[in-house]
């Protein structure tokens, strides 16, 4: 089965040794980047006690749970259990791994097999990711952005050309990942404020 | 310098944190805030009529507002934390010290409601807390677009110390911090500062410490 790619973060917001929680098709995912820069998207649940792995920490090429320090390597298999340092963890202790890729400054995740690549967004710089308590269609009608053949909303915010990727969250919320044409900081700040204005407009429209 | 302190209070923690970052020695005087309610006692109100914590006592000087205490500790032991001596910077730092009161009145109140069973209009506190975090996220985003990592520019100041604890502890009051990438990166930078100290709910960056080598039979 082929699953769709979901935009989950701007690459700039996940530095090396960083871990953050994201949501893909209602599934909680721990998105992290190793010391060497390798990107990974795993089920956000430690197989030991169910703690969110996105609360954990990255050392080298492994992600460790904040609760009891169990650490997991690139394939999702358990590498080390600190309370039993002489034990080689059984193969069965493994975190489910999803597909993650980085393309033009955006991180995408797919829950199933995936042959195609996410849409290209060349010539743009990351602006910001903002969570809006409104559904995508409400945001689109509040924004005046047009949907292109590639399914991406494009238009202008504070006179800056932008592309807006929408990530659906449970309970009708949406994350907007906004990229903008290169511009000076003052122009990008104006665009960032326009994203906030769009959030407020969509939320009041959704509530009405 | 005596700090009348409660371990779980974000407003007391920000004083301990600044003191640690600037090398200022504090004598901690624990106040039985919960469940004892010692801050409301007649004896404590002789010190601070408002019956609030933190309180800083240094000789004859008694300060009872956390913004004032931060300013005093910085002036005594870490003037760099006041920001450079320009009208713009002084204004910006004062802006965020005042903003931190809104964090205490929203996120802080939601947290006291959920953790210490203190009365509050919890939905109103959470709505106001989310609005504060959205403002903080936007301000930090703008700083990043200008190439800066902190609330008042390129180096951390009192502005950051005043706002950091409540931003970290918002989940204790039922307010998610998941939606704020700029806040996440900013709190990481602050937790990586030399001399950083923890409080319950705010831990250091484990990745900056070497991996402990465990011994069988421990833990």
């Amino acid at each position: 089965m082929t699953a769709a790619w979901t935009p989950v973060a701007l690459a700039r917001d996940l530095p090396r040794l960083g871990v953050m929680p994201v949501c893909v098709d209602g599934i909680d995912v721990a998105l992290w980047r190793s010391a060497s820069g390798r990107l990974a998207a795993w089920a956000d649940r430690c197989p030991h006690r169910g703690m969110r792995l996105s609360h954990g920490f990255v050392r080298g090429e492994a992600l460790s749970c904040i609760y009891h320090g169990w650490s997991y390597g690139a394939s999702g298999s358990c590498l080390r259990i600190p309370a039993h340092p002489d034990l080689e963890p059984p193969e069965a202790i493994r975190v489910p791994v999803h597909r993650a890729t980085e393309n033009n400054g955006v991180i995408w995740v797919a829950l199933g097999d995936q042959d195609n690549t996410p849409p290209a967004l060349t010539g743009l710089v990351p602006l910001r990711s903002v969570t809006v308590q409104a559904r995508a269609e409400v945001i689109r009608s509040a924004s005046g952005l047009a949907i292109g053949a590639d399914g991406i909303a494009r238009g202008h915010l504070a006179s800056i050309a932008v592309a807006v990727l929408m990530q659906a969250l449970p309970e009708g919320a949406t994350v907007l990942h906004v990229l903008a044409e290169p511009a000076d900081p003052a122009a990008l700040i104006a665009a960032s404020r326009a994203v906030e204005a769009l959030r407020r407009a969509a939320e009041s429209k959704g509530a009405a | 310098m005596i700090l009348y302190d409660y371990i779980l209070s974000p407003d007391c923690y920000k004083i301990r944190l600044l003191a640690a970052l600037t090398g200022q020695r504090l004598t901690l005087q624990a106040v039985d805030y919960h469940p004892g309610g010692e801050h409301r006692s007649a004896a404590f109100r002789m010190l601070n009529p408002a019956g609030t914590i933190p309180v800083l006592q240094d000789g004859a000087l008694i300060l009872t507002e956390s913004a004032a205490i931060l300013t005093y500790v910085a002036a005594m032991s870490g003037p760099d934390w006041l920001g450079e001596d320009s009208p713009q910077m002084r204004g910006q730092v004062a802006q965020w010290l005042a903003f931190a009161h809104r964090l205490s009145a929203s996120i802080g109140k939601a947290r006291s409601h959920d953790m210490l069973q203190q009365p509050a209009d919890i939905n109103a506190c959470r709505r106001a807390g989310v609005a504060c975090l959205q403002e903080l996220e936007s301000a930090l985003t703008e700083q990043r677009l200008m190439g800066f990592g902190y609330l008042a520019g390129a180096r951390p100041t009192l502005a950051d110390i005043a706002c950091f604890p409540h931003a970290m502890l918002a989940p204790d009051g039922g307010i998610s911090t998941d939606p704020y990438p700029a806040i996440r990166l900013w709190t990481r930078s602050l937790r990586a500062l030399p001399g950083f100290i923890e409080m319950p709910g705010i831990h250091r960056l484990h990745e900056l410490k070497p991996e402990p080598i465990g011994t069988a039979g421990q833990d």
Side-chain angles (χ1 to χ4, degrees):
Chain A
M1 187 197 121
T2 303
W5 288 108
T6 299
V8 294
L10 297 174
R12 185 195 55 180
D13 289 336
L14 184 67
R16 290 177 187 211
L17 304 182
V19 56
M20 62 192 284
V22 299
C23 185
V24 181
D25 298 340
I27 304 291
D28 290 327
V29 170
L31 188 70
W32 63 282
R33 200 192 290 276
S34 75
S36 70
R38 197 178 52 80
L39 190 65
W42 292 359
D44 195 6
R45 186 179 186 286
C46 181
H48 177 220
R49 291 290 183 201
M51 170 62 84
R52 284 171 74 182
L53 286 170
S54 57
H55 286 323
F57 53 96
V58 182
R59 263 203 195 107
E61 302 302 301
L63 176 64
S64 297
C65 179
I66 193 69
Y67 199 7
H68 299 94
W70 291 30
S71 64
Y72 302 89
S75 64
S77 61
C78 186
L79 300 175
R80 186 169 174 272
I81 298 174
H84 301 281
D86 300 327
L87 176 77
E88 185 163 331
E91 239 329 88
I93 306 178
R94 181 179 282 275
V95 184
V97 172
H98 305 301
R99 285 174 186 267
T101 189
E102 188 175 330
N103 202 354
N104 303 124
V106 179
I107 298 172
W108 304 76
V109 171
L111 294 183
D113 288 336
Q114 190 51 263
D115 334 314
N116 61 352
T117 53
L121 290 152
T122 51
L124 298 170
V125 296
L127 187 69
R128 62 184 301 191
S129 297
V130 172
T131 299
V132 182
Q133 298 300 322
R135 293 181 194 282
E137 57 269 22
V138 174
I139 297 166
R140 276 194 289 268
S141 76
S143 69
L145 298 169
I147 309 299
D150 55 3
I152 294 168
R154 291 172 198 269
H156 287 79
L157 290 171
S159 307
I160 296 285
V162 295
V164 181
L165 304 170
M166 300 198 192
Q167 171 195 1
L169 296 184
E171 295 171 22
T174 307
V175 187
L176 307 183
H177 304 285
V178 186
L179 298 108
E181 63 177 314
D184 61 57
L188 292 175
I189 286 171
S192 168
R193 292 188 177 194
V195 175
E196 273 298 294
L198 170 58
R199 179 186 62 73
R200 285 191 290 268
E203 288 180 349
S204 62
K205 207 167 178 172
Chain B
M1 214 181 269
I2 301 168
L3 178 68
Y4 292 84
D5 180 49
Y6 177 56
I7 184 73
L8 292 178
S9 156
D11 289 305
C12 293
Y13 165 66
K14 63 178 77 161
I15 313 301
R16 298 197 303 273
L17 175 59
L18 180 69
L21 292 168
T22 60
Q24 171 63 52
R25 285 180 60 149
L26 292 176
T27 302
L28 297 181
Q29 179 69 50
V31 176
D32 181 8
Y33 183 84
H34 182 85
E38 188 186 346
H39 57 297
R40 291 191 298 267
S41 69
F44 192 83
R45 282 180 188 246
M46 293 296 282
L47 186 70
N48 175 13
T52 57
I53 49 167
V55 174
L56 188 86
Q57 187 172 23
D58 193 18
L61 179 71
I62 294 175
L63 298 172
T64 61
E65 294 288 344
S66 57
I69 300 172
L70 288 175
T71 303
Y72 179 70
V73 171
M76 284 293 275
S77 11
D80 287 351
W81 289 85
L82 298 168
E84 69 189 58
D85 189 5
S86 70
Q88 289 80 2
M89 181 61 79
R90 291 292 148 91
Q92 274 190 72
V93 171
Q95 170 84 15
W96 289 111
L97 288 173
F99 177 84
H101 285 287
R102 285 177 53 203
L103 292 173
S104 297
S106 54
I107 293 174
K109 214 167 170 190
R111 184 171 171 274
S112 312
H113 173 274
D114 284 11
M115 286 182 71
L116 307 178
Q117 294 80 48
Q118 295 192 344
D121 179 344
I122 187 63
N123 291 327
C125 287
R126 287 184 183 144
R127 272 196 305 275
V130 167
C132 283
L133 291 178
Q134 286 168 338
E135 289 175 44
L136 199 56
E137 172 74 12
S138 290
L140 288 164
T141 299
E142 295 185 7
Q143 290 292 319
R144 287 175 80 193
L145 291 170
M146 291 186 286
F148 300 137
Y150 297 96
L151 280 171
R155 65 145 291 153
T157 63
L158 294 187
D160 304 287
I161 303 302
C163 298
F164 164 77
H166 284 299
M168 283 292 293
L169 295 169
D172 286 350
I175 299 166
S176 173
T177 51
D178 291 356
Y180 310 111
I183 292 177
R184 183 177 303 112
L185 290 171
W186 168 71
T187 57
R188 255 186 89 85
S189 300
L190 290 167
R191 289 190 295 151
L193 291 173
F196 177 83
I197 57 165
E198 305 182 319
M199 75 163 269
I202 303 181
H203 60 77
R204 67 177 191 271
L205 292 175
H206 293 258
E207 52 270 43
L208 298 181
K209 304 282 175 186
E211 186 162 12
I213 305 301
T215 311
Q218 292 189 340
D219 264 339

